[in-house]
Amino acid sequence: MRLTIVGCSGSFPGPDSPASCYLLEARHDDGTGERTWRVLVDLGSGALGALQRHVDPLTIDAVLLSHLHADHCLDLCGYYVMRRYHPDGAQPRIPVWGPADTADRMARAYDLPQEPGMREEFDFRVWDGPVDVGPFHVEPVPVDHPIPAYGLRVSADGAVLAYTGDTGPCPGLEDLARDADLLLAEASFVSGVENPPALHLTGTDCGEVARLAGARRLVLTHIPPWHTPDVALAEAQGEYDGPVELARPGAAYDLHG
Ligand SMILES: [Zn+2]
Ligand SMILES: [Zn+2]
């Protein structure tokens, strides 16, 4: 399974990165021939532009939304236009998994009538237990954020990617990240100041989860442009002895079991 960081800026796009978006690719034969399957984990502000540097967006098989904050879902608006009005003709519906309100939320975001909203372009499905998309087995784990939000544990090719989405510290994170080959964890906050509860993680929190869960590698993401990424990196390194690095747009990771 290949993970490509499309966007990793926290809460809003930064000068060098869109907001959250991660491309996952793996080979798979579903009976119609082997090909590369592609899913997007989140599609935040600005990410649809950067995605075009990596793949033809029309080759995406599904979109997996962790939650419905703008920095994780809003570029579904542009993607709706691309699929609906493409000069080659309207593209087939693809599934979009998300929290219960996703279809209505996206209709509001584009100022569409609630019916059909984007339902003719996207087959909206609600997170309600594990799902399979081609080679990807995806387990949603409820996390602690002001709106319904999920961490995602994705398995393919015998490898496991754990993505925290946005969350405050919560018990589910350790299970989410258990023995993961790569833990992609959000480090929005810095330690040592009064952070609001139930919102985001610090680099220290990320390092602690990685250590307790036995994750093999930690990649810190979702650092807002107003913070210094090296602070989060140093915090995580203080808690976790394994390899830690900062997510960078365009970075790719090949994960094998
Ligand atoms: Zn966010
Ligand atoms: Zn959020």
Side-chain angles (χ1 to χ4, degrees):
M1 163 167 54
R2 167 168 276 213
L3 158 69
T4 302
I5 311 286
V6 179
C8 55
S9 185
S11 301
F12 53 92
D16 301 314
S17 177
S20 296
C21 182
Y22 309 95
L23 169 66
L24 301 183
E25 297 172 288
R27 301 286 294 174
H28 179 66
D29 186 347
D30 67 348
T32 62
E34 186 176 316
R35 66 178 177 88
T36 299
W37 285 67
R38 299 189 170 98
V39 298
L40 294 178
V41 174
D42 285 339
L43 187 51
S45 327
L48 183 61
L51 177 65
Q52 294 167 66
R53 291 189 204 136
H54 303 291
V55 290
D56 175 355
L58 299 183
T59 65
I60 297 298
D61 292 290
V63 180
L64 316 175
L65 299 176
S66 65
H67 66 300
L68 298 176
H69 277 154
D71 58 315
H72 296 259
C73 72
L74 263 199
D75 267 26
L76 202 67
C77 289
Y79 194 38
Y80 153 82
V81 173
M82 183 185 279
R83 296 194 71 95
R84 180 178 176 88
Y85 297 107
H86 198 278
D88 292 348
Q91 303 294 305
R93 274 170 107 216
I94 58 169
V96 174
W97 272 272
D101 193 36
T102 303
D104 290 348
R105 166 80 171 89
M106 296 318 305
R108 286 197 302 277
Y110 204 81
D111 205 11
L112 294 167
Q114 291 289 308
E115 291 293 338
M118 298 184 183
R119 288 179 179 84
E120 291 172 357
E121 293 70 31
F122 300 122
D123 177 9
F124 289 101
R125 303 182 191 181
V126 176
W127 288 126
D128 181 24
V131 302
D132 291 288
V133 187
F136 305 103
H137 180 71
V138 186
E139 297 169 65
V141 177
V143 291
D144 197 5
H145 205 50
I147 58 173
Y150 298 86
L152 301 177
R153 182 178 169 93
V154 184
S155 316
D157 297 338
V160 172
L161 164 72
Y163 169 54
T164 61
D166 282 6
T167 181
C170 64
L173 287 177
E174 215 176 300
D175 286 338
L176 173 82
R178 178 83 53 214
D179 299 324
D181 295 281
L182 191 152
L183 169 60
L184 181 62
E186 70 111 319
S188 307
F189 283 165
V190 293
S191 299
V193 299
E194 278 224 7
N195 292 311
L199 193 57
H200 287 300
L201 302 175
T202 64
T204 301
D205 295 328
C206 295
E208 188 176 63
V209 171
R211 173 170 49 80
L212 293 174
R216 294 187 183 85
R217 184 174 196 173
L218 173 60
V219 177
L220 301 174
T221 190
H222 200 283
I223 297 171
W226 55 50
H227 283 159
T228 307
D230 284 347
V231 171
L233 186 64
E235 285 189 20
Q237 286 168 334
E239 289 288 330
Y240 173 66
D241 286 338
V244 191
E245 63 195 282
L246 298 167
R248 285 178 299 103
Y253 302 85
D254 285 311
L255 306 179
H256 303 284

